[in-house]
Amino acid sequence: MVFVQMNYSDLLLKTIARIAPGTELREGLERIMRGRTGALIVLGSDRTVSSLSSGGFNIDTEFSATRLRELAKMDGAIICDRDATRLLHAGVQLMPDASIETNESGTRHRTAERTAIQTGFPVISVSASMSVISVYVDGTRYMVEDSQYLMARANQAIQTLESYKKRLRSVLSNLSAQEIESNVSLSDVAMTLQRMEMVNRIIREVSHYVLELGVHGRLIALQLEELRAPEMTASDLILRDYLPEVNDELITAGVEALQNLDDMDIVDLRTIARTVGFGENPDLELPLQPRGFRLLAGIPSIPNAISERLVERFGSLQALMAASLEDLRAVDGVGEARARTVREQLSRMAESSLEKYL
């Protein structure tokens, strides 16, 4: 499985949403494509845009798909407001700084990229000959894909997500059983982090397809929400349970490092262990003891602050499970009811995990 990394800027994501199927702007762009006239559209206007503009005429009228299509029949660029709710100018000749580097070959695309870089506003270029919509934002060229193609990719990603979620559930059940048996190794922890990150990457990929598909992505969005619930354990809980040293800074750094691993490295358990903070040359057979954060997080009635106190008091999951009601009640904020809840829920989790494991 090759994961698609969606490292797009916030401005590009907002622009993708503005041109998604079902929006007035997308309808206008598709009308232009069908008419094979081409277009150059700037989403934003300020003094910088004005300084690059020559000729044309002012419109300042409400945006509509049909108006955009008619204006595209003329030579020159169309300038809209940032949210594409008003058409401001048409027939404009854009003259961006020619010294700005560009890898584009066509005149329209070179102008679009340079204008986007110089002004900071998204610029859309519609190719009349290639029937391609390109968006230039933050130095990135984004190609608008056909909805049917995106839907096929999204459905494939949903099927992959279903498969990976099943594997993740199995890995988490195995980890729980190993924790109860006090038989966890660094390899078990690294494999759990690996499966969790794989699932998260597919979720991010599907979420991007939903954004690109607009109104056509509603069914995919519903399927994604169903696969997201109930929420799986977060990577930070695993790290909080097992890292040699625990503080918020180390946890955050470990999670970010895991997310930034490339596709080649995510399959290597030793690389994962090293990346999140288990030393430069981690021993995958190293036995580890969980602190108990993950299983305590599975008890809805126990706040995070109480979980912190319980772990601080008992130090490990094994000690926590062996604690009596009196020991639990002695922890600040844990009364009779919470003490019983912790005992009963941990016992139930232990029985359930061992049954699945066996």
Side-chain angles (χ1 to χ4, degrees):
M1 172 74 183
V2 177
F3 299 99
V4 180
Q5 295 282 29
M6 303 294 183
N7 298 322
Y8 292 152
S9 68
D10 290 340
L11 180 56
L12 179 51
L13 291 174
K14 289 178 182 178
T15 306
I16 291 172
R18 290 192 185 107
I19 61 175
T23 63
E24 192 76 8
L25 177 54
R26 179 59 171 266
E27 174 62 23
L29 294 174
E30 290 180 348
R31 285 172 180 263
I32 293 170
M33 287 239 295
R34 290 194 295 268
R36 296 186 177 278
T37 54
L40 187 61
I41 304 164
V42 181
L43 297 182
S45 179
D46 61 5
R47 291 181 179 179
T48 302
V49 175
S50 297
S51 69
L52 307 183
S53 302
S54 175
F57 53 91
N58 297 333
I59 303 174
D60 195 15
T61 189
E62 185 178 356
F63 184 98
S64 74
T66 54
R67 286 171 179 164
L68 184 68
R69 165 71 184 97
E70 292 302 316
L71 292 172
K73 293 178 180 179
M74 300 182 295
D75 290 334
I78 300 168
I79 299 176
C80 307
D81 67 340
R82 188 187 301 267
D83 298 321
T85 59
R86 298 193 68 78
L87 294 161
L88 304 178
H89 310 282
V92 175
Q93 181 183 1
L94 293 174
M95 298 182 293
D97 187 351
S99 66
I100 297 175
E101 293 187 7
T102 174
N103 294 321
E104 298 293 346
S105 55
T107 302
R108 179 181 287 124
H109 290 82
R110 293 168 69 86
T111 300
E113 184 173 23
R114 285 171 171 160
T115 300
I117 292 173
Q118 190 169 350
T119 65
F121 290 123
V123 180
I124 302 171
S125 175
V126 182
S127 172
S129 58
M130 300 292 291
S131 294
V132 172
I133 301 173
S134 303
V135 182
Y136 296 88
V137 180
D138 293 335
T140 300
R141 180 186 183 185
Y142 168 80
M143 304 285 289
V144 178
E145 300 284 1
D146 178 74
S147 294
Q148 291 184 346
Y149 169 78
L150 289 174
M151 186 66 74
R153 292 291 303 271
N155 282 319
Q156 182 182 24
I158 283 288
Q159 292 174 6
T160 304
L161 180 57
E162 290 175 341
S163 174
Y164 273 62
K165 284 291 289 284
K166 289 180 182 177
R167 296 182 190 179
L168 177 56
R169 289 189 185 97
S170 176
V171 169
L172 286 170
S173 294
N174 178 68
L175 179 63
S176 296
Q178 298 285 24
E179 288 177 342
I180 302 303
E181 293 283 318
S182 190
N183 192 31
V184 179
S185 68
L186 179 54
S187 176
D188 298 318
V189 173
M191 181 176 293
T192 303
L193 290 170
Q194 178 197 62
R195 293 298 176 184
M196 293 170 69
E197 178 58 23
M198 286 178 171
V199 166
N200 287 331
R201 291 187 182 197
I202 302 173
I203 288 175
R204 290 196 291 270
E205 182 174 343
V206 176
S207 298
H208 188 81
Y209 288 138
V210 170
L211 179 67
E212 288 183 296
L213 285 165
V215 294
H216 297 160
R218 290 170 181 169
L219 180 58
I220 299 296
L222 290 174
Q223 291 175 292
L224 179 59
E225 285 306 309
E226 184 177 354
L227 287 169
R228 274 177 165 169
E231 289 294 330
M232 289 302 212
T233 301
S235 301
D236 62 324
L237 285 174
I238 300 291
L239 297 180
R240 198 172 292 277
D241 255 354
Y242 289 103
L243 278 181
E245 296 181 25
V246 178
N247 59 56
D248 291 341
E249 185 175 340
L250 289 174
I251 299 297
T252 300
V255 171
E256 290 179 353
L258 183 63
Q259 293 173 347
N260 291 330
L261 282 177
D262 60 31
D263 292 348
M264 296 297 294
D265 288 335
I266 198 65
V267 301
D268 188 334
L269 298 184
R270 184 168 278 104
T271 298
I272 290 174
R274 179 173 58 251
T275 298
V276 299
F278 285 97
E280 287 301 315
N281 188 29
D283 177 9
L284 294 180
E285 300 304 316
L286 177 71
L288 299 174
Q289 287 291 331
R291 296 182 175 91
F293 284 111
R294 183 175 71 91
L295 292 188
L296 285 172
I299 307 176
S301 59
I302 304 300
N304 291 337
I306 300 299
S307 295
E308 293 275 358
R309 293 171 196 163
L310 287 168
V311 171
E312 182 180 359
R313 167 65 178 81
F314 296 102
S316 71
L317 177 62
Q318 291 295 321
L320 180 59
M321 296 186 68
S324 65
L325 285 174
E326 184 177 352
D327 293 333
L328 293 170
R329 286 197 302 267
V331 176
D332 184 28
V334 180
E336 179 71 24
R338 279 179 175 165
R340 290 188 179 279
T341 297
V342 170
R343 279 289 300 274
E344 291 172 2
Q345 291 292 329
L346 289 180
S347 296
R348 188 174 295 115
M349 289 178 188
E351 293 173 3
S352 175
S353 296
L354 290 175
E355 286 174 1
K356 292 179 182 178
Y357 183 64
L358 295 174

